[in-house]
């Protein structure tokens, strides 16, 4: 399932080159990731309350065009891999006004308990497993 | 006791006005605050491990001149009030090269246990109390 | 005129105390400030394109209750002083769910040209002056 | 040439998982990158003054172990590709106390003029070209 997350660039996200500082993209990816989990009935705040943490294993981003203050970004996000232990999420960030693809990215995550140890989600938390599995999109985003 | 904390401005701290974004000053104040506690033998990481949190009650800053990338700041920091329950910290941020006073600020804090409840530090943790009291500087920074 | 700016707390805005790091409030204030200027037909990106910068002269915040991840904040913002050269903006941040007032703040700004020099807005840019004057709210927010 | 850049983790870099938020690694990489250019006599602030910008084309990071507040990181940084138009920089971030490799990363950059257009550095700015070429390290960092 492909979802879109949109918002305006914030002034504090710019740097003196006059563009969005690249460290913000990992934050935009996180916003979009939490947005789709929330929409699927799995708000991340609740997951943590239930003792499940989702640390980041890797993150990458490629920049083709730069966002500026005044732009609105439209972030297309999809879960592209999931096996109950690990999850991969893919991102394409478009300039909403021009429709141009500006940034592509990917992040991978594991699911652990509060002690930072992995667990068998399919067995221990089948409902959560089914919800995330339902978001899985094997096709290109 | 007056202490100085110095470092270079980071590129990611700038905004598109070409100056340090004002939200960073609260971070610089925190760096300097932790620096003097650390130097006094009270690393903040250890305080938290011992179950003491120091949330911020208020923070303020006035900007006379703006820092740019390439500048080094020299932050003069002093604990100006302390009674075992609350603490006030004052900051003056100078441009190291020019010696000009650029920013002044102040923050106030309380000491609480992990449950966010205040406690009697003088009685329960007299050593910590004495160390912070020793840093108290009633004179102008 | 009193305006409300609302959004969810982001995960990256939290710190290890489990609350929103206090440096983010200056960012929330900025978001809300730009929001009301934008709504009044003065998007800040356009102001900069027209050669007008609005640097921050001072910012302060007092924290009564702390925001957590999962909260939605409702930020009441009002321009409380304006004379064409300087502007003061006041902020009250409520927890949307509980209705509790959590944070109060204030920021002051000047209007300058790209060379960082002040100018007579009433004379040189009367339309901008009138728009901001129209936002002025002398009453308590 | 392999260089090491070290500093303590800041409190504001943590998130509510109790670890450094992953968006900070792109910032640490930038700090280290500017550090080695500065040390080689090419302070990035001067490069921009001379009309040369170095935007980021891509950035990636893999996390094996997480940094916590109280840790000191030791960041090994090397320029691994450079042809006068593009540059690749590689990073390995160690926990200074334990010596453990915690994070690996890579970023690629292009050199452009203020109008965001590439130029022939070898021809137009041979001194800058030679300095960066001198930093090139084709071996593993």
């Amino acid at each position: 399932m492909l979802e879109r997350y949109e918002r305006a660039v914030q002034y504090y996200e710019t740097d003196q080159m006059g563009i969005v500082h690249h460290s913000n993209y990992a934050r935009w990816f996180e916003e979009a990731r939490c947005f789709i989990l929330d929409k699927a009935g799995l708000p991340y705040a609740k997951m943590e309350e239930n003792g499940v943490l989702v640390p980041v294993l890797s993150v990458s981003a490629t920049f083709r065009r730069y966002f500026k203050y005044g732009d609105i970004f439209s972030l297309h996000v999809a879960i592209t891999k999931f096996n109950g232990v690990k999850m991969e999420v893919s991102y394409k960030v478009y300039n909403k006004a021009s429709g141009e693809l500006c940034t592509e990215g990917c992040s991978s995550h594991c699911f652990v308990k509060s002690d930072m140890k992995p667990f068998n989600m399919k067995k221990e938390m089948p409902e959560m497993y089914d919800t995330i599995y339902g978001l899985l999109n094997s096709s290109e985003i």
Side-chain angles (χ1 to χ4, degrees), chain A residues 85-114:
Chain A
V85 179
K86 289 189 182 180
M87 172 175 76
E88 187 190 88
V89 190
S90 296
Y91 314 89
K92 287 192 176 179
V93 198
Y94 295 86
N95 185 311
K96 199 189 173 186
S98 72
E100 289 176 315
L101 175 58
C102 298
T103 308
E104 287 180 275
C106 189
S107 65
S108 63
H109 306 261
C110 60
F111 296 87
V112 297
K113 291 287 179 76
S114 306

Side-chain angles (χ1 to χ4, degrees), chain A residues 11 14 29 53 100-101 123:
Chain A
Y11 194 83
T14 63
F29 295 169
L53 299 176
E100 289 176 315
L101 175 58
K123 209 168 162 182

Side-chain angles (χ1 to χ4, degrees), chain A residues 60-135:
Chain A
S60 65
T62 309
F63 311 106
R64 299 184 185 194
R65 285 178 190 83
Y66 299 101
F67 280 97
K68 301 198 166 198
Y69 181 65
D71 289 340
I72 292 171
F73 68 78
S74 176
L75 207 165
H76 297 209
V77 53
I79 294 176
T80 39
K81 284 184 193 165
F82 174 67
N83 64 4
V85 179
K86 289 189 182 180
M87 172 175 76
E88 187 190 88
V89 190
S90 296
Y91 314 89
K92 287 192 176 179
V93 198
Y94 295 86
N95 185 311
K96 199 189 173 186
S98 72
E100 289 176 315
L101 175 58
C102 298
T103 308
E104 287 180 275
C106 189
S107 65
S108 63
H109 306 261
C110 60
F111 296 87
V112 297
K113 291 287 179 76
S114 306
D115 57 3
M116 286 287 186
K117 294 208 172 126
F119 67 102
N120 189 332
M121 191 195 292
K122 196 173 182 175
K123 209 168 162 182
E124 292 184 48
M125 298 183 171
E127 235 176 288
M128 186 184 289
Y129 178 89
D130 290 342
T131 306
I132 300 175
Y133 196 84
L135 290 171

Side-chain angles (χ1 to χ4, degrees), chain A residues 8-23:
Chain A
V9 167
Q10 301 297 347
Y11 194 83
Y12 58 76
E13 294 178 321
T14 63
D15 64 23
Q16 73 178 40
M17 228 185 290
I19 57 177
V20 168
H21 191 270
H22 63 282
S23 61

